[in-house]
Amino acid sequence: MHAVLSRYLEAQAWPAGREGRMVDGLRLLQEFAATGARPVTYKEFAEQLQPGLAALAASRVLADIGVFCNAAGWPNVTCFVVSASTGESSPGCRHIGDEGPVVARERAWLSYGVRGDGPLVDPHPAAEAG
């Protein structure tokens, strides 16, 4: 696990389930960003994260991820999750600046998909040293 993420989680002292969902959700969103995937709905995100997880529960995970990305200066990947009815990005996306979800998605895709320099939950061993 990336050292920055590990230290953040240690400081939060969350229950194991909450921590695991946040880490798995961040990993999943980084995969979306790397492929430049279209946004997914809360329901789609929740089901991919943990089968049977309610979409409402996924919003807490997204908020945790958004707060972490803001604190760590990582690209905003929560902008890949939107409401099925409104198309609006998750509240977690709004934890990171005023750039808006379209710009945030583009920025995340450039970082993870094009340049490949975005920080990862599971970095390559050489990258974590740097």
Side-chain angles (χ1 to χ4, degrees):
M1 181 181 299
H2 195 287
V4 170
L5 178 57
S6 183
R7 284 190 300 271
Y8 178 84
L9 292 172
E10 188 176 308
Q12 299 308 306
W14 288 333
R18 182 177 179 183
E19 181 177 306
R21 283 186 294 276
M22 186 271 202
V23 170
D24 291 345
L26 179 56
R27 187 179 288 120
L28 180 61
L29 293 173
Q30 288 176 342
E31 290 171 13
F32 291 162
T35 63
R38 67 165 178 78
V40 298
T41 65
Y42 288 98
K43 182 178 179 181
E44 291 169 324
F45 173 73
E47 192 61 31
Q48 288 184 45
L49 179 60
Q50 179 182 323
L53 184 68
L56 186 58
S59 66
R60 181 175 181 179
V61 174
L62 291 163
D64 286 346
I65 293 168
V67 170
F68 165 72
C69 288
N70 187 37
W74 287 23
N76 179 358
V77 290
T78 61
C79 55
F80 283 89
V81 181
V82 298
S83 166
S85 59
T86 67
E88 293 288 318
S89 290
S90 74
C93 182
R94 293 188 287 279
H95 284 288
I96 302 195
D98 297 323
E99 65 186 358
V102 173
V103 173
R105 272 193 294 276
E106 178 75 11
R107 186 181 250 192
W109 176 70
L110 287 171
S111 183
Y112 287 104
V114 176
R115 294 189 310 265
D117 61 359
L120 297 169
V121 170
D122 305 304
H124 299 292
E128 192 165 1

